Amino acid sequence: MKTKLAILAFASILSGQLCLAQTNEPVNDWKPAPSNQQGKQYPQVNSEGRVKFRIVATNAQSVGVSFRDSSTFTKGEDGAWTGYTRPLDEGFHYYTINIDGAEVPDPNSQFFYGSSRWGSAVEVPAKDADFYALKNVPHGQLREVHYFSKSGNTNRHAFIYTPPGYDENARKRYPVLYLQHGAGEDETGWGRQGHAGLIMDNLIAEGKTKPFIIAMEYGGNPFAGPRPTNAAPATGGATNGTITGLGGRAFNFSAFEKALVDDFIPFVDANFRTVADQPHRAMAGLSMGGMQTRGITLAHLDKFSHIGVFSGGSIAVTNITDMAAFKKRVKLAFISYGSRELGTNRVGGRGFGGDPKANTAALKEAGVKAVFYESPDTAHEWQSWRRSLHEIAPLLFKD
Amino acid sequence: MKTKLAILAFASILSGQLCLAQTNEPVNDWKPAPSNQQGKQYPQVNSEGRVKFRIVATNAQSVGVSFRDSSTFTKGEDGAWTGYTRPLDEGFHYYTINIDGAEVPDPNSQFFYGSSRWGSAVEVPAKDADFYALKNVPHGQLREVHYFSKSGNTNRHAFIYTPPGYDENARKRYPVLYLQHGAGEDETGWGRQGHAGLIMDNLIAEGKTKPFIIAMEYGGNPFAGPRPTNAAPATGGATNGTITGLGGRAFNFSAFEKALVDDFIPFVDANFRTVADQPHRAMAGLSMGGMQTRGITLAHLDKFSHIGVFSGGSIAVTNITDMAAFKKRVKLAFISYGSRELGTNRVGGRGFGGDPKANTAALKEAGVKAVFYESPDTAHEWQSWRRSLHEIAPLLFKD
């Protein structure tokens, strides 16, 4: 009996493997994605990183998903269409469902702002997901704030992370990291899909970083019009204010530069217990936000001492007009990329400029405190940027 | 010439009116809804309160919307389906789009948690929308907090509104209103579609209410399973903990009662500058949250002095076991309904109990400070509840 069972088990393993090799059947260990809405069993993720979808569309002719190389979706007797993706990288991926030509959100997923819309995304659990897990540790607060921007003559909206214990000692003051989203995203990105608060809570609980404030504003969007509530944007910041390379489009960010420097920083300094000076002010951002960070910090070295550019180009020695002043003022130049962005350097190739790794090495050679971080096995996506925040935070404000 | 024009104009008005009467054509003054995603031109609302949708679904056989009595959707040459609703009440309405049998969110709308899902809603601008408009006045903060609940052995998630100026004077302490959402909604509801923060900011700017803290927790959902992160709920609160009448289903809220009384109130009192006593603590809620408010406050009169029940039943004299103690402790019993819920009393008819207006009058007769508010021309929807918060706030904590 024992032998028979063992043989059966062996045969079933063998046939399973053969079947896998022949038809590329996904491993059948699907679990609901952590990004699902409460109570929803789909989408599901398996140990290969494939994502399986289930969409009830009784009378549809075709259903699909925006991930390339996905399986054909087939309709079951229950009227539900199912299909699955190729193995995806660990982390967070935006997507849409297509039903008979309609691009719509998946009603089963939570919604996030990215790709210039509120819509679906799926989380493929990462091996290192623990660093942004919700734990029973002291938590900071993510505060939604409204304020009036004189430079833009408009009401603006931002999020401020205050670290655990912020409200306990009314005399303690904190450094501030200004942290920017990418193109097609907005000020909700870092707090929501970026898990900036949980990353900080966990790092602080482990004693790995100094507590600091994170301030997150809307940096504009070259792919969408202005916000309905926004008046005409101001112009004429200290930078040339133009980013090129976003799919060939130029994006002028001088309105954001003015809003940040003239209105947002003063608002944060007036309403939060900051140490309001250059040594205690950092700026970082991802993709477009990284390009903005580079442009704005280099033009305002009197305001920022720590610079973080995540998947948004790098700082070449030739970008620095006065190296002696730069070295004196800049305590950190942190450049990061997902490993899948390097080599072929997909993003660099789109005009972000040069080889970021070599540029950063040259900066270091020139005596700048420069750090390059490569996120393993990730692309131009949030897992690269969560890790980048996790890496840069312990390097900030070390005195 | 003048006469000719006048005749033409008159004829055109006449024919327009005749046309309107014959085919019930909607008034052609459509404007993008304020609830749209940034840059989206649809859905649109006209002066009748109709909502027009535009959904690109090139190969679909049929497209529709969940509002009853909507027009048939027709497909244009651009592959976009359009259709419109009957005139809707002013305010906020959840909906879904149906594409060939698939119930999906409208990709053009912002998303809100209600009807037990994140999905679409549309705002039909109300005549009184100014009371929750974003203005250039001092703003409070909406703070997202995580804390550990011992009673449920789980991490919990809540929102806290702190009024303008909260961070300016570290010695000033504030009363607290605990404010609950309805069934199928969650702790995001009051801050997001309820506009609780803007309602308070504007009232405070006008000097119409004392500044106070609002604390918003998740009260559970009889229509969905427990949250994935939740451990088994605790049982055995002081109330019987059961609400009936939600479509005939019974819902036990003793776990929420324990979480609120044993964990959330102590968390708020420990982490915010509250006046931590019964005279400075209120509870209110809408629909299911109103029923919870009634059950929990009546069982804990030592903890709450002000009670607000919005579209969630009323308090009858017979509900009060010790009227003398009740009158001594309760400074306000505020009951409200949308006018379209009364008369036929759709909600009361589903088991919320009795005639709320008559019950409140009887309470007043018995010497209780009881107030009944009827929201004009609204139903069991957020416009009734925004107005209810706007009405109750000035009555709270008057000393």
Side-chain angles (χ1 to χ4, degrees):
Chain A
M1 183 66 179
K2 217 172 181 179
T3 317
K4 201 169 170 185
L5 270 177
I7 290 168
L8 275 170
F10 181 70
S12 116
I13 288 166
L14 246 186
S15 68
Q17 283 177 330
L18 284 171
C19 178
L20 200 77
Q22 282 168 348
T23 66
N24 201 20
E25 274 294 309
V27 177
N28 191 15
D29 56 358
W30 302 103
K31 292 198 185 84
S35 43
N36 290 359
Q37 293 196 25
Q38 184 181 352
K40 299 290 183 183
Q41 293 303 303
Y42 285 84
Q44 299 191 336
V45 186
N46 76 358
S47 53
E48 300 167 281
R50 291 183 197 268
V51 183
K52 187 160 119 187
F53 304 89
R54 181 179 184 277
I55 303 291
V56 177
T58 319
N59 308 318
Q61 307 301 303
S62 80
V63 170
V65 67
S66 56
F67 290 108
R68 66 176 166 79
D69 303 331
S70 293
S71 77
T72 301
F73 277 52
T74 54
K75 189 163 93 167
E77 287 179 9
D78 55 358
W81 293 74
T82 52
Y84 54 86
T85 68
R86 72 186 193 281
L88 302 176
D89 287 343
E90 299 182 323
F92 180 90
H93 312 285
Y94 299 117
Y95 70 98
T96 54
I97 294 290
N98 189 303
I99 302 171
D100 285 348
E103 295 280 342
V104 293
D106 182 344
N108 299 314
S109 88
Q110 293 184 63
F111 303 126
F112 305 87
Y113 194 78
S115 307
S116 301
R117 90 291 184 266
W118 281 97
S120 293
V122 63
E123 183 78 38
V124 175
K127 283 184 288 296
D128 58 346
D130 189 65
F131 79 81
Y132 48 87
L134 176 62
K135 298 178 188 176
N136 183 8
V137 297
H139 292 289
Q141 297 174 357
L142 187 66
R143 306 185 182 190
E144 185 176 3
V145 298
H146 295 278
Y147 70 102
F148 188 77
S149 159
K150 279 186 199 154
S151 78
N153 190 30
T154 184
N155 290 297
R156 291 188 66 102
H157 177 242
F159 289 90
I160 313 286
Y161 166 81
T162 54
Y166 179 87
D167 283 326
E168 280 162 30
N169 181 347
R171 277 181 303 277
K172 190 169 176 185
R173 304 188 78 88
Y174 296 84
V176 186
L177 166 64
Y178 289 82
L179 187 59
Q180 289 302 125
H181 58 84
E185 295 172 336
D186 70 8
E187 69 274 26
T188 63
W190 272 109
R192 198 167 159 76
Q193 56 264 48
H195 298 310
L198 295 175
I199 291 170
M200 289 298 296
D201 292 347
N202 291 336
L203 279 173
I204 292 167
E206 293 165 14
K208 288 184 180 163
T209 186
K210 283 195 167 189
F212 54 82
I213 291 166
I214 303 181
M216 294 157 276
E217 241 286 15
Y218 179 59
N221 186 349
F223 307 125
R227 293 189 164 182
T229 52
N230 276 7
T235 51
T239 69
N240 71 20
T242 299
I243 292 172
T244 49
L246 293 162
R249 295 175 65 164
F251 171 49
N252 186 300
F253 62 88
S254 59
F256 169 63
E257 179 193 0
K258 274 187 80 67
L260 177 74
V261 172
D262 295 350
D263 296 319
F264 190 47
I265 292 177
F267 167 80
V268 172
D269 284 336
N271 289 278
F272 294 86
R273 296 198 316 279
T274 66
V275 188
D277 60 19
Q278 189 264 5
H280 297 91
R281 196 178 293 123
M283 184 172 180
L286 70 92
S287 192
M288 177 188 83
M291 296 186 274
Q292 292 175 323
T293 295
R294 185 178 71 169
I296 292 171
T297 55
L298 290 184
H300 299 275
L301 286 180
D302 58 318
K303 295 210 158 38
F304 301 96
S305 51
H306 297 73
I307 304 171
V309 178
F310 311 158
S311 305
S314 57
I315 300 174
V317 170
T318 50
N319 293 138
I320 298 166
T321 45
D322 181 345
M323 181 58 83
F326 187 87
K327 283 199 279 191
K328 199 175 154 195
R329 285 175 157 172
V330 174
K331 302 301 176 202
L332 178 70
F334 177 98
I335 310 293
S336 70
Y337 269 93
S339 66
R340 300 207 199 286
E341 300 181 272
L342 298 167
T344 62
N345 196 355
R346 202 171 62 92
V347 173
R350 288 192 304 188
F352 286 37
D355 175 345
K357 208 165 178 172
N359 281 349
T360 310
L363 264 195
K364 209 169 166 178
E365 190 72 22
V368 175
K369 169 124 202 254
V371 173
F372 187 82
Y373 169 69
E374 182 177 331
S375 165
D377 303 326
T378 59
H380 199 69
E381 291 192 306
W382 275 98
Q383 194 64 11
S384 302
W385 307 323
R386 293 167 179 163
R387 287 174 179 162
S388 295
L389 176 60
H390 184 249
E391 293 294 320
I392 197 177
L395 306 177
L396 295 177
F397 314 119
K398 291 181 79 174
D399 295 347
Chain B
M1 182 66 176
K2 219 172 181 179
T3 318
K4 201 172 174 186
L5 271 177
I7 290 169
L8 274 170
F10 182 70
S12 117
I13 288 165
L14 246 187
S15 69
Q17 283 178 331
L18 284 172
C19 178
L20 201 77
Q22 282 170 345
T23 66
N24 201 19
E25 275 294 310
V27 176
N28 192 15
D29 55 0
W30 303 101
K31 292 200 184 83
S35 44
N36 289 359
Q37 293 197 25
Q38 183 181 352
K40 299 288 184 183
Q41 293 304 304
Y42 285 83
Q44 298 190 338
V45 186
N46 76 359
S47 54
E48 299 167 281
R50 293 184 195 266
V51 183
K52 186 159 117 187
F53 305 90
R54 180 180 184 275
I55 303 290
V56 177
T58 320
N59 307 317
Q61 307 301 303
S62 79
V63 170
V65 68
S66 56
F67 290 107
R68 66 175 167 78
D69 303 331
S70 293
S71 77
T72 301
F73 278 54
T74 54
K75 191 164 92 168
E77 286 179 10
D78 55 357
W81 293 74
T82 51
Y84 55 85
T85 67
R86 72 187 192 280
L88 302 176
D89 286 343
E90 298 183 322
F92 180 90
H93 312 284
Y94 298 117
Y95 70 97
T96 54
I97 294 290
N98 189 304
I99 302 171
D100 284 350
E103 294 279 343
V104 294
D106 182 343
N108 299 316
S109 87
Q110 292 185 64
F111 303 126
F112 305 87
Y113 194 77
S115 306
S116 300
R117 91 290 182 270
W118 282 98
S120 294
V122 63
E123 184 79 38
V124 175
K127 282 184 288 296
D128 56 347
D130 189 65
F131 79 82
Y132 48 87
L134 176 62
K135 299 179 188 175
N136 183 8
V137 297
H139 292 288
Q141 298 174 355
L142 188 67
R143 306 185 183 190
E144 184 176 3
V145 298
H146 295 278
Y147 70 102
F148 188 76
S149 159
K150 279 186 198 155
S151 78
N153 189 33
T154 186
N155 291 298
R156 290 188 67 104
H157 178 241
F159 288 90
I160 313 286
Y161 166 82
T162 54
Y166 180 86
D167 284 326
E168 280 163 29
N169 181 346
R171 277 181 304 276
K172 188 167 178 187
R173 304 189 77 89
Y174 296 84
V176 186
L177 166 64
Y178 290 83
L179 186 60
Q180 290 303 125
H181 59 83
E185 296 172 336
D186 71 8
E187 69 275 26
T188 63
W190 272 109
R192 199 166 159 75
Q193 57 265 48
H195 298 310
L198 295 176
I199 292 169
M200 289 298 296
D201 292 346
N202 291 337
L203 279 173
I204 292 167
E206 292 164 14
K208 288 187 180 162
T209 185
K210 283 196 168 189
F212 53 83
I213 292 167
I214 303 181
M216 294 157 276
E217 243 286 16
Y218 179 58
N221 185 349
F223 306 126
R227 293 188 164 183
T229 52
N230 275 8
T235 50
T239 68
N240 70 21
T242 300
I243 293 172
T244 49
L246 293 161
R249 296 175 67 163
F251 172 49
N252 186 300
F253 61 88
S254 60
F256 168 63
E257 179 193 0
K258 275 186 80 67
L260 177 73
V261 172
D262 295 351
D263 296 319
F264 189 49
I265 292 176
F267 167 80
V268 172
D269 284 336
N271 290 279
F272 293 86
R273 295 196 319 278
T274 66
V275 188
D277 61 18
Q278 190 264 5
H280 298 90
R281 196 179 292 123
M283 183 171 180
L286 71 92
S287 193
M288 177 188 83
M291 297 186 272
Q292 292 174 324
T293 295
R294 185 178 71 168
I296 291 171
T297 55
L298 290 184
H300 299 275
L301 285 180
D302 58 319
K303 295 210 157 39
F304 301 95
S305 51
H306 299 71
I307 304 171
V309 178
F310 310 157
S311 304
S314 58
I315 300 173
V317 170
T318 50
N319 294 137
I320 298 165
T321 45
D322 182 343
M323 182 55 85
F326 186 88
K327 283 198 279 192
K328 200 175 153 194
R329 285 175 156 172
V330 173
K331 303 301 175 203
L332 177 70
F334 177 97
I335 310 294
S336 70
Y337 270 92
S339 66
R340 299 207 198 288
E341 301 181 272
L342 299 168
T344 61
N345 198 354
R346 201 171 64 93
V347 173
R350 289 191 306 188
F352 287 36
D355 174 345
K357 206 165 180 173
N359 281 348
T360 309
L363 265 193
K364 209 169 168 179
E365 189 73 22
V368 175
K369 166 119 205 259
V371 172
F372 188 82
Y373 168 70
E374 183 177 329
S375 164
D377 302 326
T378 60
H380 199 69
E381 291 193 305
W382 274 98
Q383 194 65 10
S384 302
W385 307 323
R386 294 167 179 164
R387 288 174 178 163
S388 295
L389 175 59
H390 182 249
E391 292 294 319
I392 196 178
L395 306 177
L396 295 176
F397 314 121
K398 291 180 77 175
D399 297 344

